[in-house]
Amino acid sequence: YAGVPAKAASVTSPATQRSLDVATPKSLTAYMSPEQLCARPSGPACDQFSFAVMAHEALFGVHPFPGRTLEERRCAVQRGPPRTRGSLARALRRALEVDPAARYPSVDALLAALIAAARVRPRRSRAWITAAIAAVGAIAWLVVHCGVG
């Protein structure tokens, strides 16, 4: 992730967690995948996890893994995705899995699952759900492709 000092991102000892909290903006750590929070090798599944956190916030109004500190967020993420009801929540839950191999094979597959889940909702809520997914997708695309953020 841009803006995260490489040295800070690779630190895992408890004695240095305070420096990671300071070196990494809270707005960034709130969207980090379990791999990133534990300084393990990461890949495209990290982006899917971060996208799912943003989508969860946009659709449900709450962060799926609450915490004020890096350690609190790490513990919340390690407990796994929240158990919420509904087709959209189920679609997001898979993208929020702790194990990257349990997530969707791609962000495109996640988006397809979200669109399919939005189609089973009542007609009046379908438009705002589709708009929210499109907005989060557009923001994610800008961040990944244009370095915005």
Side-chain angles (χ1 to χ4, degrees):
Y1 277 95
V4 178
K7 183 177 179 183
S10 67
V11 176
T12 58
S13 70
T16 56
Q17 288 309 307
R18 285 185 303 279
S19 66
L20 183 55
D21 274 336
V22 172
T24 308
K26 286 186 181 185
S27 61
L28 181 61
T29 60
Y31 301 95
M32 284 181 158
S33 68
E35 309 88 277
Q36 293 168 310
L37 287 170
C38 295
R40 293 187 308 241
S42 59
C46 291
D47 295 333
Q48 182 182 140
F49 183 92
S50 298
F51 175 85
V53 171
M54 288 190 312
H56 189 282
E57 278 187 312
L59 293 169
F60 303 111
V62 295
H63 194 284
F65 306 106
R68 290 178 294 151
T69 67
L70 180 64
E71 189 57 35
E72 287 175 0
R73 284 187 292 280
R74 183 181 293 128
C75 289
V77 168
Q78 291 301 321
R79 283 191 294 269
R83 298 290 172 214
T84 52
R85 292 183 179 189
S87 55
L88 284 168
R90 280 191 300 277
L92 285 174
R93 192 176 307 128
R94 181 173 173 190
L96 293 169
E97 286 294 336
V98 174
D99 179 6
R103 297 178 200 146
Y104 291 93
S106 68
V107 173
D108 288 339
L110 165 59
L111 292 175
L114 289 171
I115 291 167
R119 288 187 180 130
V120 301
R121 310 273 305 169
R123 189 186 234 345
R124 67 176 178 256
S125 64
R126 220 180 279 165
W128 78 263
I129 291 169
T130 303
I133 292 169
V136 170
I139 292 167
W141 186 89
L142 285 171
V143 169
V144 171
H145 295 289
C146 301
V148 175

